[in-house]
Amino acid sequence: KMFASIANVDFDGVLINASGVHCQTSSELDELLNDEYVAAPVTKSATLNSRDGNPKPSYFEFKDGSINSMGLPNNGFEYYLNYVESHRNNKPIILSIASLSQEECIELLHKVQASDFNGITELNLSCPNVIGKPQVAYDFEATDKILSEVFSFFKKPLGIKLPPYFDLTHFDQIAAVLNQYPLSHVNSVNSIGNGLLVDLATEAPVIKPKGGFGGVGGHNILPTALANVRAFRLRLNQNIKIIGTGGVKTAEDVFAHILCGADLVSIGTELNKQGISLFKDLNEGLIKIMHDKGYNSVDEFRNGLKDI
Ligand code: DHB
């Protein structure tokens, strides 16, 4: 009833974790792998070398939202490659990679290409939290250049994680770039970059790095996330699938993402808040909505947004 496929990979279910949440260590990944309501674990975006991340506090939750400037804390690329290579008989795992330069990105993808991992890799072009490093996917020329080099040698399924866009012409421009390449998927959206939240009592920002600036996530960004999923579904080649990320708190939100065109739906802030029991609740909630509406399968309403 609830299936999805991206490239040559079939998913049993539609719910996954958003990269960054509950996926830095092998024990966290094991928990996702062993949860029947998780269609696929996604690994924490990996850099070539392990990183401690930014000074703390670097994460803060507020009503229906979160702000973070984690700074890519991760155990290093080899750790995650080893994890995905040694868990190939179970469900799919999405390997997320990030990098601090184009050279590092190319080096990492050469390593994936040479490895035994044949699943889906996701290149994160949208991390807002490394000091001095821009969100690559806001630079359409740089994105084109990197993808052109990547696809000259990378032959395995590859998707990209994108930041939110807010202008319809930007959607046209980035989609025109992406449609030139055999991407498995786009994952949309990353957090809304560089928000700022202040604590009235201390008169200081709620997080320490970057003067308090950080990526905003959680239920409050649902309209931006749905708009991005919809805008991409209307513009991208149909063989480029969409992972809808952003704002999901309830089963209604999952339904809305799929209606707008998402193949899989990922959950970050709310997963961090509730823990992995959230996946069972959202799954059961989605089944109930589908039953009430008379749908037997997600395919019956995916990308089915109607005219008002
Ligand atoms: C981090 C945040 C992101 O939004 C992202 O895409 C990658 C890394 C971080 O701060 O760790």
Side-chain angles (χ1 to χ4, degrees):
K1 282 218 276 207
M2 294 207 270
F3 297 106
S5 67
I6 293 179
N8 53 351
V9 178
D10 292 325
F11 297 86
D12 184 1
V14 295
L15 301 178
I16 66 177
N17 64 301
S19 181
V21 178
H22 208 95
C23 61
Q24 188 173 338
T25 65
S26 60
S27 66
E28 288 175 312
L29 289 164
D30 284 346
E31 284 189 62
L32 296 173
L33 205 53
N34 294 329
D35 186 322
E36 64 180 296
Y37 301 100
V38 176
V42 185
T43 61
K44 171 69 185 175
S45 291
T47 49
L48 185 56
N49 298 119
S50 65
R51 293 170 54 89
D52 290 337
N54 292 338
K56 290 177 177 164
S58 54
Y59 183 84
F60 181 86
E61 267 172 13
F62 53 97
K63 182 176 164 16
D64 279 340
S66 66
I67 182 167
N68 88 83
S69 182
M70 305 300 290
L72 273 168
N74 77 92
N75 296 7
F77 172 76
E78 292 296 336
Y79 178 94
Y80 301 101
L81 181 64
N82 178 60
Y83 186 88
V84 298
E85 282 185 326
S86 56
H87 293 81
R88 269 179 299 160
N89 306 316
N90 212 308
K91 64 178 72 163
I93 306 174
I94 298 174
L95 176 65
S96 175
I97 66 168
S99 63
L100 306 180
S101 67
Q102 178 163 341
E103 295 68 41
E104 181 180 348
C105 166
I106 298 300
E107 181 177 350
L108 290 173
L109 286 172
H110 272 294
K111 287 176 186 285
V112 177
Q113 180 63 34
S115 76
D116 290 333
F117 175 64
N118 290 312
I120 295 167
T121 301
E122 185 174 282
L123 175 61
N124 185 349
L125 296 179
S126 49
C127 175
N129 298 335
V130 180
I131 294 158
K133 302 290 175 188
Q135 288 165 274
V136 176
Y138 281 141
D139 181 336
F140 304 151
E141 255 180 64
T143 300
D144 195 6
K145 192 160 161 274
I146 213 162
L147 291 179
S148 148
E149 183 168 0
V150 164
F151 282 109
S152 71
F153 68 89
F154 197 79
K155 303 301 173 196
K156 295 178 177 180
L158 182 72
I160 53 175
K161 179 81 172 267
L162 293 175
Y165 300 96
F166 303 92
D167 182 286
L168 295 185
T169 297
H170 290 170
F171 285 120
D172 294 340
Q173 292 171 339
I174 186 71
V177 169
L178 303 182
N179 278 333
Q180 299 173 273
Y181 300 103
L183 289 162
S184 60
H185 70 279
V186 304
N187 186 331
S188 174
V189 299
N190 208 317
S191 56
I192 298 181
N194 295 301
L196 178 65
L197 198 62
V198 297
D199 181 330
L200 246 46
T202 61
E203 303 179 10
V206 296
I207 58 172
K208 188 171 183 62
K210 288 179 64 182
F213 284 54
V216 177
H219 190 58
N220 65 92
I221 78 160
L222 182 65
T224 295
L226 293 178
N228 275 261
V229 168
R230 190 66 191 149
F232 280 118
R233 189 62 289 156
L234 292 173
R235 287 169 178 77
L236 292 176
N237 301 335
Q238 289 303 308
N239 50 346
I240 303 180
K241 301 296 181 75
I242 295 181
I243 300 179
T245 302
V248 174
K249 179 177 178 176
T250 67
E252 285 77 9
D253 305 333
V254 175
F255 185 90
H257 264 274
I258 298 170
L259 194 68
C260 288
D263 291 278
L264 293 174
V265 177
S266 90
I267 304 107
T269 298
E270 201 61 27
L271 169 59
N272 190 68
K273 232 179 228 188
Q274 295 193 30
I276 64 169
S277 62
L278 174 71
F279 288 111
K280 180 173 195 276
D281 295 342
L282 290 180
N283 240 284
E284 289 176 348
L286 183 58
I287 287 170
K288 181 171 186 319
I289 291 169
M290 288 169 58
H291 178 265
D292 290 350
K293 287 175 168 284
Y295 292 124
N296 290 309
S297 140
V298 289
D299 292 339
E300 292 170 23
F301 63 94
R302 182 180 280 129
N303 191 22
L305 188 65
K306 294 176 182 169
D307 289 335
I308 188 172

